[in-house]
Amino acid sequence: VDRDDVTGTPARDAEADRLLADYLAELSRSLRCRGALATDIEEEVADGLLETVDSYRRTGLAPAEAARAAFADFGSPGAVAAAFRAETKLTETHRLGRRLLVTGPVVAMLWLTAMLASTAPPLQRQLDPWMLLVVAVAALLVSAPAAAFAVAASRPAGRLLLATVASPAAAVSSAAATAGDVTLLVVVTAQVVLLNGHLAWALVLLAALASMLRGMFACRMVARAAPGSLSSR
Amino acid sequence: MKAEVLKGHLDGLLLATLEGGPRHGYAVRKALVDGSGGRFDLPTGTVYPALHRLERGGLVRSRWITVAGRRRRMYELTAAGRRTLDAERASWHEFSSAVSALLGEAPWTATT
């Protein structure tokens, strides 16, 4: 068996390296998470794969054959990603909860500022800006506690029992935040279309953009965290 | 032996492979295969998530080291992990003794 001059491990060839790179790229695509967790999983699996390839090389297999044998030991990239699903789901839930906690007050303040600045008639007569505040506060009262619970329950050292309800809590938080956003957007659209209201356009557009971005982000994160089960036992 | 057979015992078996000291994922899987005489041949890719789950449960801890220029995650038992392993072992001995008594070679005496 040829050996690497530096590490002394059995040498691989270009084909084996390409096969390994393809496997890891497929794993990366199959993992439904990004960031540090994805990097850790990919590096850990890569290390294990290389160890397995080395062990097969020591038995006399050619580099490419050793790589294929290692893949058979590991299972397909999709199967490996699926086995990590419980962990990636919790990480995405934790991230979603934290972002909802941060963006909730920001979006609410943007809307309140926009409404208070839109004091010219007919808005002032047709719609009390404080009604919008009530909508925002109602959404916050549901969304914020649910997001805080999701963050606490999905923290890395959290208990597995609590973690099982972290994802539903994050979904409730997202739904409440999205409902608040949609209500505000509908009300403002109605003002523009039906009443030709005089709005503080820059502030309203900024708040609307923030609501839409948060809604899109929440939907994407909920979809990413939704499927799969927590326990593999 | 199929992976399904190991369900319910996998955590205890993984903890047992770490009883002698820290190991990385590949070494844990190899210890499972070698220690079982090749009978427990789990897909390697499923061992890593199981180790991560044990870490979340506080039964093992991990740290990263660098070997041959690449990062390697090493796992070791925590105190809680050792207690859990002891409990799993005691439970298994009790269970296997009962099963052996029932499935042993001596025939049962018929009663009326």
Side-chain angles (χ1 to χ4, degrees), chain A residues 123-145:
Chain A
L123 180 64
Q124 198 170 31
R125 290 201 308 273
Q126 300 295 333
L127 183 68
D128 184 349
W130 294 107
M131 288 298 292
L132 293 181
L133 180 62
V134 170
V135 172
V137 168
L140 273 177
L141 283 178
V142 176
S143 180

Side-chain angles (χ1 to χ4, degrees), chain A residues 6 15 23 59 76 79 82 84-85 114-115 120 175 181 184 187 192 200 208 232:
Chain A
V6 178
E15 185 185 2
Y23 184 99
T59 68
S76 70
F84 274 110
R85 190 72 194 98
M115 290 302 101
D181 287 338
L184 292 165
V187 167
V192 173
S232 61

Side-chain angles (χ1 to χ4, degrees), chain A residues 77-140:
Chain A
V80 174
F84 274 110
R85 190 72 194 98
E87 187 178 9
T88 57
K89 176 181 170 181
L90 274 178
T91 302
E92 293 300 313
T93 296
H94 193 74
R95 186 177 297 164
L96 170 61
R98 275 188 313 176
R99 293 194 181 177
L100 286 171
L101 276 180
V102 170
T103 57
V106 172
V107 174
M109 289 307 296
L110 283 173
W111 276 110
L112 182 60
T113 306
M115 290 302 101
L116 288 175
S118 302
T119 53
L123 180 64
Q124 198 170 31
R125 290 201 308 273
Q126 300 295 333
L127 183 68
D128 184 349
W130 294 107
M131 288 298 292
L132 293 181
L133 180 62
V134 170
V135 172
V137 168
L140 273 177

Side-chain angles (χ1 to χ4, degrees), chain A residues 7 9 12 37 39-41 43-52 54-55 73-75 80 83-84 87 90-91 153-158 160 163 230-233, chain B residues 7-12 24-27 29-30 41-57 64 67-75 88:
Chain A
T7 64
T9 55
R12 297 185 305 273
L37 176 63
T39 302
D40 284 352
I41 290 174
E43 290 196 30
E44 187 173 20
V45 170
D47 177 58
L49 269 176
L50 291 171
E51 281 286 304
T52 310
D54 289 349
S55 73
D73 279 0
F74 265 72
V80 174
F84 274 110
E87 187 178 9
L90 274 178
T91 302
S154 61
R155 69 190 191 281
L160 286 172
L230 181 69
S231 175
S232 61
R233 285 192 78 167
Chain B
K7 282 189 174 175
H9 304 296
L10 180 59
D11 287 3
H24 57 289
Y26 172 79
R29 192 259 185 181
K30 191 169 186 307
D41 195 9
L42 287 175
T44 311
T46 63
V47 170
Y48 295 98
L51 288 168
H52 287 211
R53 182 163 46 77
L54 292 177
E55 184 170 30
R56 176 176 281 277
W64 289 90
V67 177
R70 63 181 192 246
R71 291 173 78 217
R72 173 167 293 168
R73 192 171 193 165
M74 302 292 291
Y75 297 90
E88 291 263 352

Side-chain angles (χ1 to χ4, degrees), chain B residues 80-95:
Chain B
R82 288 189 186 282
R83 286 195 298 273
T84 300
L85 175 58
D86 290 342
E88 291 263 352
R89 190 170 272 145
S91 173
W92 172 254
H93 283 313
E94 187 180 350
F95 175 76

